[in-house]
Amino acid sequence: MTTVDQAETVRDSGYLSYRALIWRRFRMNRMGIVAVLILAMFYFVAIFAGFFSPYDHNDIRIQVRYLPPQELHFDWSTGFYVNGLTSTQNPETLELEYETDRSQRFPVRFLSRDGSGNLRLVHSNGPMYLLGTDRMGRDLLSRIFHGARVSLTVGIIGVFLSLILGSVLGTLSGYFGGWIDHALQRVVEILASFPPIPLWMALGAALPAGWTSIETYLGITIILSIISWGGLAREVRGKVLVFREQDYTTAARSAGAGHWHIISRHLLPGCYSHIIVVATLAIPGMILGETALSFLGLGIRPPMTSWGVLLEEAQRVTVLLNHPWLLFPASPVLVVVIAFNFLGDALRDAADPYS
């Protein structure tokens, strides 16, 4: 922040509300704005994944299994098109090998309907697999779009649940103290003493094998929430310990205000900015947690898909050597995690507009 910006913030602090100052400071952070735009794009694509996907993400086409990414061509006379394919079976590896048939051209249409009547952003009557296919011949691009629904929402839902647990229990621990504080802090220390990956594996393996995909999804979300609330609870507790000794809290207590009034009107509002920042920075951890569980085969199960499920297929070294495009799902994970971290840093700076 430049000296001119600091001077303008101090000058306007007497005229703008605290929220307006936060928004003003946030707008000055270009990386934070870029992160918001990137995340908005990812969530928009996830919501309308069926429209953006060239194919149904569960369509199996064994005849094009392990197909490398195809090239998208452009010609001024025909527009965008993809070439046809010819396949032969390798007599040694028994795997299909593909060659581009340049004599065949299949035009790429935009905003058209496929054979099932579903509206697609991009569609072609010929083979159009821009990111390749997996071992079942399913379009990897379509599966990445649909996998975003699970991987992105598990972070939002998980953080929402952990926020409730961390905020409420942290406030109770700091406000009442005594045996409540000791009991809650011992629980937090126990959760923090376990290494995260083995703990995720143990809790993920405890899920019944007969659960449906939706039940497994909710189970993974609850597991991640239960594990991750301790850090926020301790941070909120530290702030509440300071706020409860302030003059306005003592005055409210002397005036006969109840515990809930003091907590809801004088303690929690002072923690809101910190809670928002912590939540923003915790979402990437939730996404990585779900990705790790699914990668290890203990998370989301087919027919549901997520980025972790897609990366699970790339565990073997032979697959990576022969079919490296199966690592493409790691790219959106990396971009989303970095964007959330930039957003969290921007919110952390904006939450203190007087600095």
Side-chain angles (χ1 to χ4, degrees):
M1 196 175 189
T2 64
T3 305
V4 176
D5 293 334
Q6 291 177 344
E8 291 180 353
T9 301
V10 173
R11 183 192 64 194
D12 296 338
S13 60
Y15 307 98
L16 299 177
S17 65
Y18 180 65
R19 293 181 180 178
L21 288 173
I22 291 178
W23 171 240
R24 178 191 178 92
R25 180 75 177 269
F26 180 78
R27 286 184 302 172
M28 296 179 182
N29 193 311
R30 294 181 180 179
M31 294 305 300
I33 297 297
V34 172
V36 169
L37 295 176
I38 292 175
L39 293 173
M41 179 190 67
F42 270 94
Y43 278 98
F44 182 78
V45 171
I47 293 172
F48 300 100
F51 170 71
F52 288 100
S53 302
Y55 300 98
D56 188 284
H57 68 291
N58 282 326
D59 278 355
I60 297 175
R61 299 177 178 86
I62 298 298
Q63 66 273 18
V64 289
R65 67 190 302 268
Y66 287 139
L67 174 68
Q70 290 181 268
E71 294 183 4
L72 185 64
H73 303 277
F74 178 79
D75 185 86
W76 288 106
S77 59
T78 60
F80 289 98
Y81 67 92
V82 290
N83 291 123
L85 297 170
T86 58
S87 61
T88 57
Q89 190 174 40
N90 190 310
E92 296 181 0
T93 63
L94 301 181
E95 290 289 344
L96 292 176
E97 296 180 349
Y98 304 93
E99 292 184 2
T100 301
D101 184 1
R102 300 191 181 278
S103 63
Q104 292 182 324
R105 288 188 176 185
F106 296 96
V108 175
R109 299 190 301 271
F110 295 89
L111 296 176
S112 64
R113 297 189 179 274
D114 58 13
S116 302
N118 298 315
L119 182 63
R120 306 284 185 184
L121 175 64
V122 180
H123 181 65
S124 176
N125 290 330
M128 187 186 66
Y129 302 99
L130 302 180
L131 294 185
T133 62
D134 61 8
R135 60 186 177 87
M136 302 295 290
R138 295 169 296 195
D139 180 44
L140 191 59
L141 179 61
S142 301
R143 291 180 64 76
I144 289 176
F145 286 156
H146 282 82
R149 289 180 171 179
V150 173
S151 295
L152 294 179
T153 56
V154 73
I156 296 293
I157 299 175
V159 166
F160 177 75
L161 295 177
S162 64
L163 279 183
I164 295 176
L165 289 173
S167 301
V168 172
L169 297 180
T171 302
L172 294 178
S173 178
Y175 179 72
F176 290 105
W179 67 270
I180 296 179
D181 184 28
H182 288 291
L184 290 176
Q185 294 311 304
R186 299 298 81 77
V187 172
V188 171
E189 291 171 359
I190 291 174
L191 289 176
S193 64
F194 287 100
I197 296 297
L199 183 59
W200 289 342
M201 293 175 62
L203 294 176
L207 296 178
W211 275 13
T212 63
S213 299
I214 298 298
E215 291 171 337
T216 303
Y217 169 74
L218 294 176
I220 295 298
T221 303
I222 294 174
I223 287 174
L224 295 177
S225 304
I226 292 175
I227 295 173
S228 60
W229 65 268
L232 177 61
R234 278 202 159 172
E235 294 171 2
V236 172
R237 170 183 175 269
K239 287 188 169 294
V240 170
L241 286 175
V242 176
F243 293 151
R244 75 175 186 179
E245 304 299 331
Q246 297 296 320
D247 293 339
Y248 55 83
T249 306
T250 304
R253 191 181 297 112
S254 301
H259 295 313
W260 172 247
H261 178 85
I262 295 175
I263 291 174
S264 61
R265 296 295 183 88
H266 301 289
L267 300 183
L268 274 180
C271 303
Y272 284 160
S273 60
H274 182 77
I275 290 174
I276 292 174
V277 173
V278 170
T280 307
L281 295 175
I283 292 177
M286 290 285 184
I287 295 175
L288 292 175
E290 182 277 326
T291 302
L293 282 176
S294 299
F295 175 76
L296 295 171
L298 300 172
I300 306 301
R301 303 180 183 126
M304 285 188 71
T305 185
S306 69
W307 292 337
V309 172
L310 298 179
L311 290 173
E312 190 267 338
E313 298 185 4
Q315 288 189 63
R316 292 173 294 175
V317 177
T318 55
V319 173
L320 293 180
L321 291 176
N322 299 323
H323 319 294
W325 59 88
L326 293 181
L327 281 177
F328 279 139
S331 299
V333 176
L334 181 65
V335 173
V336 168
V337 169
I338 292 176
F340 268 116
N341 281 306
F342 277 126
L343 176 59
D345 291 338
L347 289 175
R348 182 166 49 197
D349 295 338
D352 188 11
Y354 301 103
S355 62

